[in-house]
Amino acid sequence: MIARWSLRLAAFGYVGLLLLAPVGVVFFRTFEHGLEPVRHVLSTPDFQHALKLTLEIALIAVPLNTVFGVICALAIVRHRLPGVGLVNAIVDLPLALSPVVVGFSIVLLYGPNGWLTGLPFRVLFAFPGMLLATIFVSLPFVVREVVPVLREIGTDQEEAAATLGANAFTTFRRVTFPAIRWAVAYGVVLTMARAIGEYGALAVVSGAVAGRTQTLTLYVDAAYQINFDTVGAYTASVTLAALAMLTLLLMTLLRPREGVH
């Protein structure tokens, strides 16, 4: 009993020291002078644009990566296409590659002397480049959540549905997706968190122009290190934390309780 409680206290202490304490300090610093400074920051055009841009990028990147993730997971597990090992390695690449390198690669591709110049729209230091960078860094999460679940559930039910005359889409909609829906949900949460919290790649490709190409993470950096606006940096940080917690809360509320079907 003593060993069990000691292990729990050690775990809680470790989490508290590394996670809860720093986040708690940010929340305290944000509201230590009341709500008026926070309200002022929330009403500024630069903050509102940064929040809007962050949400716009996330609301495009997350659905695209969700669809890609499910299709890629099905291709890896169910169809065993040639070169599946290479596909696995490419999917894991964003986890191993520094986001700064990702941003630099986009600069090399779409910059003035890049391979993909001459496009009818601007990519670098504009919304398309920021979206590309966010999609790349948040690509693997749905795939990595869905693949082990697909392997665990096997193919028996899918084969039974096919035997009964169901086509591929019906089998996926009625059999496969219900079995993997919570893996997809966890992947979406991780993808959303990565998308709204990305900094390194965006710092390279965006230009971080206030009111134009500045997301909330870039706003935090500019407010704290350039403008010396600590309240603005704290408020933006709390907003990012609130978005992440809201996503987790929604998933928890929508998830059925254990034993309830």
Side-chain angles (χ1 to χ4, degrees):
M1 181 65 71
I2 296 177
R4 182 187 304 173
W5 279 104
S6 298
L7 182 61
R8 290 179 181 178
L9 289 174
F12 285 130
Y14 186 79
V15 172
L17 181 63
L18 294 182
L19 179 62
L20 297 181
V23 174
V25 169
V26 172
F27 274 81
F28 173 77
R29 292 294 188 185
T30 303
F31 299 104
E32 66 176 335
H33 298 298
L35 294 177
E36 183 58 29
V38 176
R39 188 200 63 79
H40 174 72
V41 173
L42 294 175
S43 64
T44 59
D46 287 348
F47 177 90
Q48 293 179 358
H49 184 274
L51 175 60
K52 178 183 176 183
L53 184 60
T54 300
L55 294 177
E56 286 177 348
I57 292 174
L59 290 176
I60 296 174
V62 173
L64 289 177
N65 277 342
T66 300
V67 173
F68 167 81
V70 173
I71 294 174
C72 186
L74 289 171
I76 291 173
V77 178
R78 292 289 186 260
H79 300 288
R80 304 298 298 176
L81 299 176
V84 68
L86 180 60
V87 173
N88 264 316
I90 293 175
V91 168
D92 287 336
L93 186 61
L95 298 176
L97 202 61
S98 169
V100 175
V101 177
V102 174
F104 185 59
S105 301
I106 294 175
V107 171
L108 293 179
L109 281 175
Y110 298 99
N113 298 316
W115 294 355
L116 299 177
T117 55
L119 295 175
F121 55 90
R122 186 173 183 177
V123 175
L124 199 60
F125 308 129
F127 184 85
M130 300 173 70
L131 180 61
L132 282 174
T134 304
I135 289 174
F136 187 93
V137 299
S138 60
L139 183 94
F141 296 104
V142 173
V143 181
R144 288 297 159 236
E145 290 293 327
V146 173
V147 163
V149 176
L150 282 174
R151 287 175 175 158
E152 182 180 354
I153 64 177
T155 60
D156 292 345
Q157 295 184 25
E158 295 171 0
E159 291 171 355
T163 302
L164 294 173
N167 59 35
F169 178 74
T170 302
T171 300
F172 173 78
R173 182 172 60 89
R174 301 293 295 273
V175 178
T176 307
F177 184 75
I180 65 172
R181 65 186 185 279
W182 287 113
V184 174
Y186 281 120
V188 167
V189 170
L190 293 173
T191 304
M192 175 67 76
R194 190 70 177 87
I196 65 176
E198 174 53 30
Y199 171 80
L202 294 181
V204 177
V205 304
S206 68
V209 180
R212 293 182 59 187
T213 60
Q214 191 178 68
T215 61
L216 276 180
T217 53
L218 300 175
Y219 181 93
V220 171
D221 180 64
Y224 193 79
Q225 299 198 57
I226 299 176
N227 301 326
F228 302 104
D229 179 14
T230 55
V231 176
Y234 294 147
T235 302
S237 299
V238 167
T239 304
L240 286 168
L243 290 173
M245 290 187 289
L246 178 62
T247 304
L248 289 172
L249 178 62
L250 288 175
M251 191 190 72
T252 302
L253 293 176
L254 292 174
R255 181 174 186 176
R257 290 173 295 177
E258 295 295 333
V260 177
H261 302 282

